[in-house]
Amino acid sequence: MVIGITGGIGAGKSTVMQYMGEHYSVYTILADEVARELQKQGGEVYRQIIKWLGTEVLKENGELDRERLAAIVFSDESKRQTLNGIVHPAVRRDIEKQIVKQRQHYSHVAVEAALLIEEGYRDVCDEFWYVDASEEVRIRRLMESRGYTREKCRAIMAQQLDRETFLQESDRVIVNNGSMDELKRQLDCLLV
């Protein structure tokens, strides 16, 4: 089975993926890691970005300057959409290849991405599992782990799908407001 793990920032998707990968026959794919790989020097996305924006977005060592790229695209909605049009299809193609390859070796393949619903991964995944946590818990986690301000947390959350949409689109809900033991119990029930 291919499981899509989704949820808002700070909900604990990465923790869920790590536990599944370490304790069960689950091959885990993190969309952000796939995107980073494809953006490395010589990668498919890297080449397309250089073709589009030129070498001004490169560091001295030839790698993409992610901060400079972010400054360019997040100040211009059309450029942000162009970048998404480069990155998201390439990430999806890579994920689909990994699924085909790994399904024969693992009981499950889990794909984690914040945009599974928006990017139409329903035809790639057999089920969507939503990692749910209260806004306050998510804010606290992001402030502790990433050093974000409360305002930055809320600004990011405002750009993501609302809880009701996640709930409507998901087949299973994993509530992650409590301890790691509580989270493990839920995952153990789902994966047995």
Side-chain angles (χ1 to χ4, degrees), residues 2-4 27-35 38 44 87-103 109-113 116 119 121 124-125:
V2 179
I3 305 162
Y27 182 80
T28 59
I29 303 170
L30 304 173
D32 286 347
E33 284 185 11
V34 171
L38 295 172
E44 174 186 350
V87 175
H88 294 306
V91 168
R92 184 180 176 125
R93 283 190 300 275
D94 190 271
I95 287 172
E96 289 174 347
K97 284 180 194 171
Q98 288 187 57
I99 289 170
V100 168
K101 182 177 178 182
Q102 299 303 333
R103 278 185 103 152
V109 175
V111 179
E112 182 271 316
L116 284 177
E119 290 296 319
Y121 275 76
V124 174
C125 300

PDB file of all heavy atoms in Angstrom, residues 2-4 27-35 38 44 87-103 109-113 116 119 121 124-125:
ATOM      1  N   VAL A   2       0.470   2.251  -0.748  1.00  0.00           N
ATOM      2  CA  VAL A   2       1.164   3.538  -0.768  1.00  0.00           C
ATOM      3  C   VAL A   2       0.354   4.505   0.097  1.00  0.00           C
ATOM      4  O   VAL A   2      -0.819   4.752  -0.159  1.00  0.00           O
ATOM      5  CB  VAL A   2       1.314   4.097  -2.194  1.00  0.00           C
ATOM      6  CG1 VAL A   2       2.027   5.440  -2.177  1.00  0.00           C
ATOM      7  CG2 VAL A   2       2.071   3.108  -3.074  1.00  0.00           C
ATOM      8  N   ILE A   3       1.022   5.021   1.127  1.00  0.00           N
ATOM      9  CA  ILE A   3       0.377   5.893   2.102  1.00  0.00           C
ATOM     10  C   ILE A   3       0.908   7.309   1.918  1.00  0.00           C
ATOM     11  O   ILE A   3       2.116   7.536   1.951  1.00  0.00           O
ATOM     12  CB  ILE A   3       0.682   5.425   3.536  1.00  0.00           C
ATOM     13  CG1 ILE A   3       0.277   3.967   3.730  1.00  0.00           C
ATOM     14  CG2 ILE A   3      -0.010   6.338   4.561  1.00  0.00           C
ATOM     15  CD1 ILE A   3       0.920   3.310   4.945  1.00  0.00           C
ATOM     16  N   GLY A   4       0.013   8.245   1.745  1.00  0.00           N
ATOM     17  CA  GLY A   4       0.393   9.651   1.696  1.00  0.00           C
ATOM     18  C   GLY A   4       0.255  10.248   3.078  1.00  0.00           C
ATOM     19  O   GLY A   4      -0.831  10.217   3.665  1.00  0.00           O
ATOM     20  N   TYR A  27       8.987   1.861   3.285  1.00  0.00           N
ATOM     21  CA  TYR A  27       9.978   2.689   2.598  1.00  0.00           C
ATOM     22  C   TYR A  27       9.443   4.118   2.624  1.00  0.00           C
ATOM     23  O   TYR A  27       8.318   4.376   2.202  1.00  0.00           O
ATOM     24  CB  TYR A  27      10.180   2.219   1.159  1.00  0.00           C
ATOM     25  CG  TYR A  27      11.237   3.012   0.433  1.00  0.00           C
ATOM     26  CD1 TYR A  27      12.585   2.731   0.630  1.00  0.00           C
ATOM     27  CD2 TYR A  27      10.890   4.042  -0.428  1.00  0.00           C
ATOM     28  CE1 TYR A  27      13.562   3.463  -0.023  1.00  0.00           C
ATOM     29  CE2 TYR A  27      11.867   4.770  -1.083  1.00  0.00           C
ATOM     30  CZ  TYR A  27      13.201   4.483  -0.873  1.00  0.00           C
ATOM     31  OH  TYR A  27      14.165   5.211  -1.509  1.00  0.00           O
ATOM     32  N   THR A  28      10.241   5.030   3.142  1.00  0.00           N
ATOM     33  CA  THR A  28       9.771   6.405   3.311  1.00  0.00           C
ATOM     34  C   THR A  28      10.387   7.344   2.279  1.00  0.00           C
ATOM     35  O   THR A  28      11.580   7.268   1.989  1.00  0.00           O
ATOM     36  CB  THR A  28      10.092   6.925   4.733  1.00  0.00           C
ATOM     37  OG1 THR A  28      11.503   6.867   4.953  1.00  0.00           O
ATOM     38  CG2 THR A  28       9.378   6.101   5.794  1.00  0.00           C
ATOM     39  N   ILE A  29       9.529   8.205   1.739  1.00  0.00           N
ATOM     40  CA  ILE A  29       9.953   9.204   0.762  1.00  0.00           C
ATOM     41  C   ILE A  29       9.512  10.571   1.281  1.00  0.00           C
ATOM     42  O   ILE A  29       8.320  10.789   1.511  1.00  0.00           O
ATOM     43  CB  ILE A  29       9.308   8.956  -0.618  1.00  0.00           C
ATOM     44  CG1 ILE A  29       9.642   7.557  -1.135  1.00  0.00           C
ATOM     45  CG2 ILE A  29       9.750  10.034  -1.613  1.00  0.00           C
ATOM     46  CD1 ILE A  29       8.845   7.156  -2.380  1.00  0.00           C
ATOM     47  N   LEU A  30      10.470  11.459   1.461  1.00  0.00           N
ATOM     48  CA  LEU A  30      10.170  12.821   1.905  1.00  0.00           C
ATOM     49  C   LEU A  30      10.288  13.745   0.697  1.00  0.00           C
ATOM     50  O   LEU A  30      11.361  13.881   0.111  1.00  0.00           O
ATOM     51  CB  LEU A  30      11.145  13.262   2.998  1.00  0.00           C
ATOM     52  CG  LEU A  30      11.212  12.362   4.236  1.00  0.00           C
ATOM     53  CD1 LEU A  30      12.328  12.803   5.171  1.00  0.00           C
ATOM     54  CD2 LEU A  30       9.885  12.348   4.960  1.00  0.00           C
ATOM     55  N   ALA A  31       9.183  14.356   0.315  1.00  0.00           N
ATOM     56  CA  ALA A  31       9.163  15.196  -0.885  1.00  0.00           C
ATOM     57  C   ALA A  31      10.196  16.322  -0.803  1.00  0.00           C
ATOM     58  O   ALA A  31      10.832  16.650  -1.813  1.00  0.00           O
ATOM     59  CB  ALA A  31       7.770  15.767  -1.105  1.00  0.00           C
ATOM     60  N   ASP A  32      10.387  16.909   0.373  1.00  0.00           N
ATOM     61  CA  ASP A  32      11.372  17.983   0.516  1.00  0.00           C
ATOM     62  C   ASP A  32      12.791  17.488   0.219  1.00  0.00           C
ATOM     63  O   ASP A  32      13.583  18.193  -0.394  1.00  0.00           O
ATOM     64  CB  ASP A  32      11.321  18.603   1.918  1.00  0.00           C
ATOM     65  CG  ASP A  32      10.098  19.488   2.115  1.00  0.00           C
ATOM     66  OD1 ASP A  32       9.425  19.820   1.117  1.00  0.00           O
ATOM     67  OD2 ASP A  32       9.827  19.852   3.282  1.00  0.00           O
ATOM     68  N   GLU A  33      13.086  16.255   0.650  1.00  0.00           N
ATOM     69  CA  GLU A  33      14.421  15.696   0.373  1.00  0.00           C
ATOM     70  C   GLU A  33      14.594  15.414  -1.115  1.00  0.00           C
ATOM     71  O   GLU A  33      15.665  15.624  -1.680  1.00  0.00           O
ATOM     72  CB  GLU A  33      14.659  14.428   1.191  1.00  0.00           C
ATOM     73  CG  GLU A  33      14.960  14.709   2.644  1.00  0.00           C
ATOM     74  CD  GLU A  33      15.314  13.441   3.412  1.00  0.00           C
ATOM     75  OE1 GLU A  33      15.536  12.373   2.796  1.00  0.00           O
ATOM     76  OE2 GLU A  33      15.365  13.547   4.649  1.00  0.00           O
ATOM     77  N   VAL A  34      13.539  14.925  -1.746  1.00  0.00           N
ATOM     78  CA  VAL A  34      13.586  14.676  -3.195  1.00  0.00           C
ATOM     79  C   VAL A  34      13.859  15.993  -3.916  1.00  0.00           C
ATOM     80  O   VAL A  34      14.718  16.066  -4.801  1.00  0.00           O
ATOM     81  CB  VAL A  34      12.273  14.026  -3.701  1.00  0.00           C
ATOM     82  CG1 VAL A  34      12.248  13.966  -5.224  1.00  0.00           C
ATOM     83  CG2 VAL A  34      12.088  12.636  -3.103  1.00  0.00           C
ATOM     84  N   ALA A  35      13.149  17.042  -3.527  1.00  0.00           N
ATOM     85  CA  ALA A  35      13.340  18.362  -4.153  1.00  0.00           C
ATOM     86  C   ALA A  35      14.770  18.854  -3.959  1.00  0.00           C
ATOM     87  O   ALA A  35      15.389  19.367  -4.905  1.00  0.00           O
ATOM     88  CB  ALA A  35      12.351  19.370  -3.577  1.00  0.00           C
ATOM     89  N   LEU A  38      17.102  16.972  -6.304  1.00  0.00           N
ATOM     90  CA  LEU A  38      16.949  17.390  -7.692  1.00  0.00           C
ATOM     91  C   LEU A  38      17.494  18.795  -7.945  1.00  0.00           C
ATOM     92  O   LEU A  38      17.758  19.168  -9.087  1.00  0.00           O
ATOM     93  CB  LEU A  38      15.482  17.326  -8.109  1.00  0.00           C
ATOM     94  CG  LEU A  38      14.855  15.929  -8.133  1.00  0.00           C
ATOM     95  CD1 LEU A  38      13.354  16.013  -8.382  1.00  0.00           C
ATOM     96  CD2 LEU A  38      15.521  15.041  -9.165  1.00  0.00           C
ATOM     97  N   GLU A  44      18.139  17.621 -12.384  1.00  0.00           N
ATOM     98  CA  GLU A  44      17.137  18.055 -13.362  1.00  0.00           C
ATOM     99  C   GLU A  44      16.570  19.435 -13.031  1.00  0.00           C
ATOM    100  O   GLU A  44      16.489  20.322 -13.890  1.00  0.00           O
ATOM    101  CB  GLU A  44      16.003  17.026 -13.398  1.00  0.00           C
ATOM    102  CG  GLU A  44      14.827  17.422 -14.272  1.00  0.00           C
ATOM    103  CD  GLU A  44      13.667  16.449 -14.176  1.00  0.00           C
ATOM    104  OE1 GLU A  44      13.814  15.360 -13.585  1.00  0.00           O
ATOM    105  OE2 GLU A  44      12.612  16.796 -14.713  1.00  0.00           O
ATOM    106  N   VAL A  87       9.612  22.630 -10.099  1.00  0.00           N
ATOM    107  CA  VAL A  87       9.949  21.717  -9.003  1.00  0.00           C
ATOM    108  C   VAL A  87       8.917  20.604  -8.826  1.00  0.00           C
ATOM    109  O   VAL A  87       9.275  19.418  -8.793  1.00  0.00           O
ATOM    110  CB  VAL A  87      10.136  22.497  -7.682  1.00  0.00           C
ATOM    111  CG1 VAL A  87      10.356  21.532  -6.508  1.00  0.00           C
ATOM    112  CG2 VAL A  87      11.298  23.469  -7.786  1.00  0.00           C
ATOM    113  N   HIS A  88       7.639  20.946  -8.705  1.00  0.00           N
ATOM    114  CA  HIS A  88       6.634  19.948  -8.336  1.00  0.00           C
ATOM    115  C   HIS A  88       6.499  18.797  -9.330  1.00  0.00           C
ATOM    116  O   HIS A  88       6.470  17.629  -8.906  1.00  0.00           O
ATOM    117  CB  HIS A  88       5.280  20.612  -8.063  1.00  0.00           C
ATOM    118  CG  HIS A  88       5.284  21.497  -6.861  1.00  0.00           C
ATOM    119  ND1 HIS A  88       5.695  21.081  -5.616  1.00  0.00           N
ATOM    120  CD2 HIS A  88       4.938  22.796  -6.719  1.00  0.00           C
ATOM    121  CE1 HIS A  88       5.593  22.075  -4.758  1.00  0.00           C
ATOM    122  NE2 HIS A  88       5.145  23.136  -5.397  1.00  0.00           N
ATOM    123  N   PRO A  89       6.441  19.037 -10.638  1.00  0.00           N
ATOM    124  CA  PRO A  89       6.355  17.889 -11.564  1.00  0.00           C
ATOM    125  C   PRO A  89       7.592  16.984 -11.511  1.00  0.00           C
ATOM    126  O   PRO A  89       7.476  15.763 -11.590  1.00  0.00           O
ATOM    127  CB  PRO A  89       6.212  18.546 -12.940  1.00  0.00           C
ATOM    128  CG  PRO A  89       5.661  19.910 -12.664  1.00  0.00           C
ATOM    129  CD  PRO A  89       6.267  20.314 -11.354  1.00  0.00           C
ATOM    130  N   ALA A  90       8.767  17.579 -11.354  1.00  0.00           N
ATOM    131  CA  ALA A  90       9.996  16.777 -11.287  1.00  0.00           C
ATOM    132  C   ALA A  90      10.011  15.927 -10.016  1.00  0.00           C
ATOM    133  O   ALA A  90      10.402  14.755 -10.044  1.00  0.00           O
ATOM    134  CB  ALA A  90      11.223  17.682 -11.340  1.00  0.00           C
ATOM    135  N   VAL A  91       9.588  16.515  -8.910  1.00  0.00           N
ATOM    136  CA  VAL A  91       9.525  15.778  -7.640  1.00  0.00           C
ATOM    137  C   VAL A  91       8.539  14.618  -7.777  1.00  0.00           C
ATOM    138  O   VAL A  91       8.836  13.492  -7.381  1.00  0.00           O
ATOM    139  CB  VAL A  91       9.145  16.718  -6.476  1.00  0.00           C
ATOM    140  CG1 VAL A  91       8.787  15.924  -5.222  1.00  0.00           C
ATOM    141  CG2 VAL A  91      10.281  17.697  -6.196  1.00  0.00           C
ATOM    142  N   ARG A  92       7.398  14.890  -8.353  1.00  0.00           N
ATOM    143  CA  ARG A  92       6.384  13.840  -8.517  1.00  0.00           C
ATOM    144  C   ARG A  92       6.913  12.693  -9.382  1.00  0.00           C
ATOM    145  O   ARG A  92       6.711  11.520  -9.049  1.00  0.00           O
ATOM    146  CB  ARG A  92       5.109  14.423  -9.114  1.00  0.00           C
ATOM    147  CG  ARG A  92       4.004  13.386  -9.219  1.00  0.00           C
ATOM    148  CD  ARG A  92       2.760  13.986  -9.810  1.00  0.00           C
ATOM    149  NE  ARG A  92       1.753  12.980  -9.994  1.00  0.00           N
ATOM    150  CZ  ARG A  92       0.532  13.044  -9.496  1.00  0.00           C
ATOM    151  NH1 ARG A  92       0.167  14.075  -8.776  1.00  0.00           N
ATOM    152  NH2 ARG A  92      -0.332  12.090  -9.720  1.00  0.00           N
ATOM    153  N   ARG A  93       7.572  13.010 -10.492  1.00  0.00           N
ATOM    154  CA  ARG A  93       8.121  11.947 -11.358  1.00  0.00           C
ATOM    155  C   ARG A  93       9.110  11.085 -10.574  1.00  0.00           C
ATOM    156  O   ARG A  93       9.091   9.857 -10.677  1.00  0.00           O
ATOM    157  CB  ARG A  93       8.808  12.550 -12.587  1.00  0.00           C
ATOM    158  CG  ARG A  93       7.858  13.028 -13.657  1.00  0.00           C
ATOM    159  CD  ARG A  93       8.572  13.385 -14.947  1.00  0.00           C
ATOM    160  NE  ARG A  93       9.574  14.440 -14.812  1.00  0.00           N
ATOM    161  CZ  ARG A  93       9.302  15.745 -14.865  1.00  0.00           C
ATOM    162  NH1 ARG A  93       8.057  16.165 -15.064  1.00  0.00           N
ATOM    163  NH2 ARG A  93      10.275  16.625 -14.746  1.00  0.00           N
ATOM    164  N   ASP A  94       9.965  11.723  -9.790  1.00  0.00           N
ATOM    165  CA  ASP A  94      10.959  10.985  -9.011  1.00  0.00           C
ATOM    166  C   ASP A  94      10.271  10.103  -7.964  1.00  0.00           C
ATOM    167  O   ASP A  94      10.635   8.940  -7.789  1.00  0.00           O
ATOM    168  CB  ASP A  94      11.930  11.960  -8.340  1.00  0.00           C
ATOM    169  CG  ASP A  94      13.109  11.243  -7.724  1.00  0.00           C
ATOM    170  OD1 ASP A  94      12.997  10.850  -6.540  1.00  0.00           O
ATOM    171  OD2 ASP A  94      14.135  11.062  -8.400  1.00  0.00           O
ATOM    172  N   ILE A  95       9.270  10.655  -7.286  1.00  0.00           N
ATOM    173  CA  ILE A  95       8.538   9.887  -6.273  1.00  0.00           C
ATOM    174  C   ILE A  95       7.856   8.682  -6.916  1.00  0.00           C
ATOM    175  O   ILE A  95       7.905   7.567  -6.388  1.00  0.00           O
ATOM    176  CB  ILE A  95       7.524  10.793  -5.536  1.00  0.00           C
ATOM    177  CG1 ILE A  95       8.274  11.737  -4.585  1.00  0.00           C
ATOM    178  CG2 ILE A  95       6.481   9.958  -4.778  1.00  0.00           C
ATOM    179  CD1 ILE A  95       7.403  12.807  -3.941  1.00  0.00           C
ATOM    180  N   GLU A  96       7.225   8.881  -8.061  1.00  0.00           N
ATOM    181  CA  GLU A  96       6.547   7.766  -8.736  1.00  0.00           C
ATOM    182  C   GLU A  96       7.532   6.664  -9.117  1.00  0.00           C
ATOM    183  O   GLU A  96       7.221   5.475  -8.994  1.00  0.00           O
ATOM    184  CB  GLU A  96       5.776   8.272  -9.951  1.00  0.00           C
ATOM    185  CG  GLU A  96       4.546   9.074  -9.566  1.00  0.00           C
ATOM    186  CD  GLU A  96       3.829   9.715 -10.748  1.00  0.00           C
ATOM    187  OE1 GLU A  96       4.399   9.764 -11.859  1.00  0.00           O
ATOM    188  OE2 GLU A  96       2.695  10.174 -10.548  1.00  0.00           O
ATOM    189  N   LYS A  97       8.734   7.048  -9.566  1.00  0.00           N
ATOM    190  CA  LYS A  97       9.762   6.050  -9.898  1.00  0.00           C
ATOM    191  C   LYS A  97      10.170   5.276  -8.650  1.00  0.00           C
ATOM    192  O   LYS A  97      10.328   4.052  -8.696  1.00  0.00           O
ATOM    193  CB  LYS A  97      10.996   6.732 -10.499  1.00  0.00           C
ATOM    194  CG  LYS A  97      10.828   7.183 -11.927  1.00  0.00           C
ATOM    195  CD  LYS A  97      12.112   7.845 -12.413  1.00  0.00           C
ATOM    196  CE  LYS A  97      11.893   8.609 -13.693  1.00  0.00           C
ATOM    197  NZ  LYS A  97      13.053   9.426 -14.052  1.00  0.00           N
ATOM    198  N   GLN A  98      10.364   5.997  -7.534  1.00  0.00           N
ATOM    199  CA  GLN A  98      10.753   5.322  -6.289  1.00  0.00           C
ATOM    200  C   GLN A  98       9.673   4.355  -5.818  1.00  0.00           C
ATOM    201  O   GLN A  98       9.979   3.257  -5.338  1.00  0.00           O
ATOM    202  CB  GLN A  98      11.044   6.344  -5.189  1.00  0.00           C
ATOM    203  CG  GLN A  98      12.325   7.119  -5.392  1.00  0.00           C
ATOM    204  CD  GLN A  98      12.639   7.981  -4.188  1.00  0.00           C
ATOM    205  OE1 GLN A  98      12.747   7.473  -3.076  1.00  0.00           O
ATOM    206  NE2 GLN A  98      12.778   9.285  -4.397  1.00  0.00           N
ATOM    207  N   ILE A  99       8.417   4.751  -5.954  1.00  0.00           N
ATOM    208  CA  ILE A  99       7.309   3.878  -5.537  1.00  0.00           C
ATOM    209  C   ILE A  99       7.336   2.582  -6.332  1.00  0.00           C
ATOM    210  O   ILE A  99       7.268   1.488  -5.763  1.00  0.00           O
ATOM    211  CB  ILE A  99       5.950   4.599  -5.691  1.00  0.00           C
ATOM    212  CG1 ILE A  99       5.802   5.698  -4.632  1.00  0.00           C
ATOM    213  CG2 ILE A  99       4.796   3.598  -5.589  1.00  0.00           C
ATOM    214  CD1 ILE A  99       4.612   6.621  -4.859  1.00  0.00           C
ATOM    215  N   VAL A 100       7.454   2.695  -7.641  1.00  0.00           N
ATOM    216  CA  VAL A 100       7.484   1.500  -8.497  1.00  0.00           C
ATOM    217  C   VAL A 100       8.633   0.585  -8.083  1.00  0.00           C
ATOM    218  O   VAL A 100       8.467  -0.634  -7.951  1.00  0.00           O
ATOM    219  CB  VAL A 100       7.601   1.898  -9.993  1.00  0.00           C
ATOM    220  CG1 VAL A 100       7.923   0.697 -10.855  1.00  0.00           C
ATOM    221  CG2 VAL A 100       6.322   2.581 -10.457  1.00  0.00           C
ATOM    222  N   LYS A 101       9.790   1.166  -7.843  1.00  0.00           N
ATOM    223  CA  LYS A 101      10.979   0.383  -7.499  1.00  0.00           C
ATOM    224  C   LYS A 101      10.861  -0.267  -6.119  1.00  0.00           C
ATOM    225  O   LYS A 101      11.238  -1.424  -5.933  1.00  0.00           O
ATOM    226  CB  LYS A 101      12.214   1.292  -7.548  1.00  0.00           C
ATOM    227  CG  LYS A 101      13.502   0.586  -7.255  1.00  0.00           C
ATOM    228  CD  LYS A 101      14.684   1.532  -7.383  1.00  0.00           C
ATOM    229  CE  LYS A 101      15.978   0.835  -7.045  1.00  0.00           C
ATOM    230  NZ  LYS A 101      17.130   1.732  -7.103  1.00  0.00           N
ATOM    231  N   GLN A 102      10.344   0.467  -5.127  1.00  0.00           N
ATOM    232  CA  GLN A 102      10.381  -0.006  -3.741  1.00  0.00           C
ATOM    233  C   GLN A 102       9.180  -0.854  -3.322  1.00  0.00           C
ATOM    234  O   GLN A 102       9.270  -1.589  -2.340  1.00  0.00           O
ATOM    235  CB  GLN A 102      10.531   1.187  -2.785  1.00  0.00           C
ATOM    236  CG  GLN A 102      11.796   1.985  -3.007  1.00  0.00           C
ATOM    237  CD  GLN A 102      13.072   1.155  -2.891  1.00  0.00           C
ATOM    238  OE1 GLN A 102      13.130   0.142  -2.194  1.00  0.00           O
ATOM    239  NE2 GLN A 102      14.123   1.583  -3.589  1.00  0.00           N
ATOM    240  N   ARG A 103       8.072  -0.778  -4.050  1.00  0.00           N
ATOM    241  CA  ARG A 103       6.878  -1.564  -3.672  1.00  0.00           C
ATOM    242  C   ARG A 103       7.179  -3.055  -3.593  1.00  0.00           C
ATOM    243  O   ARG A 103       6.579  -3.764  -2.795  1.00  0.00           O
ATOM    244  CB  ARG A 103       5.750  -1.347  -4.679  1.00  0.00           C
ATOM    245  CG  ARG A 103       4.967  -0.097  -4.452  1.00  0.00           C
ATOM    246  CD  ARG A 103       3.825  -0.045  -5.410  1.00  0.00           C
ATOM    247  NE  ARG A 103       2.617  -0.403  -4.672  1.00  0.00           N
ATOM    248  CZ  ARG A 103       1.428   0.021  -4.986  1.00  0.00           C
ATOM    249  NH1 ARG A 103       1.253   0.787  -6.033  1.00  0.00           N
ATOM    250  NH2 ARG A 103       0.398  -0.330  -4.272  1.00  0.00           N
ATOM    251  N   VAL A 109       4.846   1.813   1.118  1.00  0.00           N
ATOM    252  CA  VAL A 109       5.652   2.978   0.775  1.00  0.00           C
ATOM    253  C   VAL A 109       4.888   4.180   1.328  1.00  0.00           C
ATOM    254  O   VAL A 109       3.683   4.309   1.099  1.00  0.00           O
ATOM    255  CB  VAL A 109       5.858   3.134  -0.744  1.00  0.00           C
ATOM    256  CG1 VAL A 109       6.603   4.426  -1.060  1.00  0.00           C
ATOM    257  CG2 VAL A 109       6.611   1.938  -1.306  1.00  0.00           C
ATOM    258  N   ALA A 110       5.579   5.024   2.086  1.00  0.00           N
ATOM    259  CA  ALA A 110       4.944   6.228   2.637  1.00  0.00           C
ATOM    260  C   ALA A 110       5.588   7.452   2.009  1.00  0.00           C
ATOM    261  O   ALA A 110       6.816   7.562   1.941  1.00  0.00           O
ATOM    262  CB  ALA A 110       5.092   6.267   4.155  1.00  0.00           C
ATOM    263  N   VAL A 111       4.740   8.349   1.526  1.00  0.00           N
ATOM    264  CA  VAL A 111       5.193   9.588   0.889  1.00  0.00           C
ATOM    265  C   VAL A 111       4.743  10.747   1.769  1.00  0.00           C
ATOM    266  O   VAL A 111       3.548  10.886   2.040  1.00  0.00           O
ATOM    267  CB  VAL A 111       4.580   9.748  -0.523  1.00  0.00           C
ATOM    268  CG1 VAL A 111       5.040  11.049  -1.164  1.00  0.00           C
ATOM    269  CG2 VAL A 111       4.907   8.553  -1.398  1.00  0.00           C
ATOM    270  N   GLU A 112       5.686  11.560   2.211  1.00  0.00           N
ATOM    271  CA  GLU A 112       5.352  12.710   3.057  1.00  0.00           C
ATOM    272  C   GLU A 112       5.536  13.993   2.273  1.00  0.00           C
ATOM    273  O   GLU A 112       6.593  14.231   1.697  1.00  0.00           O
ATOM    274  CB  GLU A 112       6.232  12.731   4.303  1.00  0.00           C
ATOM    275  CG  GLU A 112       5.928  13.862   5.263  1.00  0.00           C
ATOM    276  CD  GLU A 112       6.698  15.139   4.968  1.00  0.00           C
ATOM    277  OE1 GLU A 112       7.907  15.050   4.700  1.00  0.00           O
ATOM    278  OE2 GLU A 112       6.091  16.224   5.003  1.00  0.00           O
ATOM    279  N   ALA A 113       4.481  14.777   2.226  1.00  0.00           N
ATOM    280  CA  ALA A 113       4.553  16.091   1.597  1.00  0.00           C
ATOM    281  C   ALA A 113       3.399  16.936   2.106  1.00  0.00           C
ATOM    282  O   ALA A 113       2.282  16.437   2.244  1.00  0.00           O
ATOM    283  CB  ALA A 113       4.475  15.978   0.077  1.00  0.00           C
ATOM    284  N   LEU A 116       0.391  17.138  -0.701  1.00  0.00           N
ATOM    285  CA  LEU A 116      -0.141  15.933  -1.361  1.00  0.00           C
ATOM    286  C   LEU A 116      -1.530  16.179  -1.939  1.00  0.00           C
ATOM    287  O   LEU A 116      -1.828  15.752  -3.056  1.00  0.00           O
ATOM    288  CB  LEU A 116      -0.229  14.770  -0.372  1.00  0.00           C
ATOM    289  CG  LEU A 116       1.059  14.053  -0.002  1.00  0.00           C
ATOM    290  CD1 LEU A 116       0.772  12.980   1.044  1.00  0.00           C
ATOM    291  CD2 LEU A 116       1.713  13.438  -1.211  1.00  0.00           C
ATOM    292  N   GLU A 119      -1.433  18.918  -4.844  1.00  0.00           N
ATOM    293  CA  GLU A 119      -0.727  18.458  -6.041  1.00  0.00           C
ATOM    294  C   GLU A 119      -1.346  17.204  -6.663  1.00  0.00           C
ATOM    295  O   GLU A 119      -0.778  16.613  -7.577  1.00  0.00           O
ATOM    296  CB  GLU A 119       0.753  18.217  -5.716  1.00  0.00           C
ATOM    297  CG  GLU A 119       1.543  19.492  -5.446  1.00  0.00           C
ATOM    298  CD  GLU A 119       1.629  20.402  -6.666  1.00  0.00           C
ATOM    299  OE1 GLU A 119       1.830  19.904  -7.787  1.00  0.00           O
ATOM    300  OE2 GLU A 119       1.474  21.623  -6.487  1.00  0.00           O
ATOM    301  N   TYR A 121      -2.019  13.993  -5.490  1.00  0.00           N
ATOM    302  CA  TYR A 121      -1.375  12.700  -5.271  1.00  0.00           C
ATOM    303  C   TYR A 121      -2.372  11.587  -4.956  1.00  0.00           C
ATOM    304  O   TYR A 121      -1.975  10.457  -4.695  1.00  0.00           O
ATOM    305  CB  TYR A 121      -0.333  12.786  -4.156  1.00  0.00           C
ATOM    306  CG  TYR A 121       1.018  13.266  -4.621  1.00  0.00           C
ATOM    307  CD1 TYR A 121       1.253  14.605  -4.907  1.00  0.00           C
ATOM    308  CD2 TYR A 121       2.072  12.379  -4.778  1.00  0.00           C
ATOM    309  CE1 TYR A 121       2.491  15.049  -5.333  1.00  0.00           C
ATOM    310  CE2 TYR A 121       3.321  12.811  -5.205  1.00  0.00           C
ATOM    311  CZ  TYR A 121       3.515  14.146  -5.481  1.00  0.00           C
ATOM    312  OH  TYR A 121       4.753  14.583  -5.905  1.00  0.00           O
ATOM    313  N   VAL A 124      -1.746   8.594  -6.857  1.00  0.00           N
ATOM    314  CA  VAL A 124      -0.473   7.934  -6.574  1.00  0.00           C
ATOM    315  C   VAL A 124      -0.567   7.130  -5.275  1.00  0.00           C
ATOM    316  O   VAL A 124       0.039   6.072  -5.149  1.00  0.00           O
ATOM    317  CB  VAL A 124       0.669   8.984  -6.452  1.00  0.00           C
ATOM    318  CG1 VAL A 124       1.975   8.344  -6.026  1.00  0.00           C
ATOM    319  CG2 VAL A 124       0.839   9.732  -7.768  1.00  0.00           C
ATOM    320  N   CYS A 125      -1.342   7.630  -4.321  1.00  0.00           N
ATOM    321  CA  CYS A 125      -1.440   7.028  -2.986  1.00  0.00           C
ATOM    322  C   CYS A 125      -2.750   6.254  -2.835  1.00  0.00           C
ATOM    323  O   CYS A 125      -3.793   6.680  -3.317  1.00  0.00           O
ATOM    324  CB  CYS A 125      -1.385   8.121  -1.912  1.00  0.00           C
ATOM    325  SG  CYS A 125       0.139   9.081  -1.936  1.00  0.00           S
TER     326      CYS A 125
END
